[in-house]
Amino acid sequence: GKHWTVHEVRALIRIWSDKNIQQQLEGTVRNKRIFEQVAARLQKFGIDRDWKQCRTKYKNLKHEYKSVKSAQDSGSTSKSMKFFNELDAILGHCTMEQASKSDN
């Protein structure tokens, strides 16, 4: 699919940071319905993405965040990513086992 713009990713993260969405995502593996909601909310921002694109982007961001986070935890500062602080605000509070459980 086409690349996500910074604006689109910010909007996705803003929706993702909604406590309601987070709780739904943490509590489920079959999350198509949640990402359909996310896609619908993106549409209100004028962003046209389907639920699959949203889920893929979410997974990629989460994966990238985790690899940067663990690099930092092991003392490396070479790894960084664009939306680290925004994601840290969402993901930084949950334990790693929670994070890996809701991964697939």
Side-chain angles (χ1 to χ4, degrees), residues 59-73:
K59 282 184 166 175
N60 291 346
L61 283 167
K62 201 163 153 178
H63 178 76
E64 192 183 352
Y65 166 81
K66 273 196 227 163
S67 67
V68 171
K69 185 79 167 166
S70 63
Q72 284 182 358
D73 290 348

Side-chain angles (χ1 to χ4, degrees), residues 12 25-26 42 44 51 53 56 63 69 71-72 78 102:
L12 179 69
L25 285 169
E26 274 166 30
L42 280 175
K44 289 184 186 143
W51 71 270
Q53 289 172 311
T56 301
H63 178 76
K69 185 79 167 166
Q72 284 182 358
S78 60
S102 63

Side-chain angles (χ1 to χ4, degrees), residues 22-51:
Q22 279 178 59
Q23 281 168 345
Q24 291 182 65
L25 285 169
E26 274 166 30
T28 183
V29 188
R30 305 207 182 290
N31 49 21
K32 177 182 175 189
R33 240 188 29 254
I34 304 160
F35 284 105
E36 283 172 341
Q37 286 175 40
V38 170
R41 284 169 70 170
L42 280 175
Q43 217 104 56
K44 289 184 186 143
F45 292 118
I47 297 165
D48 189 26
R49 296 283 180 181
D50 64 26
W51 71 270

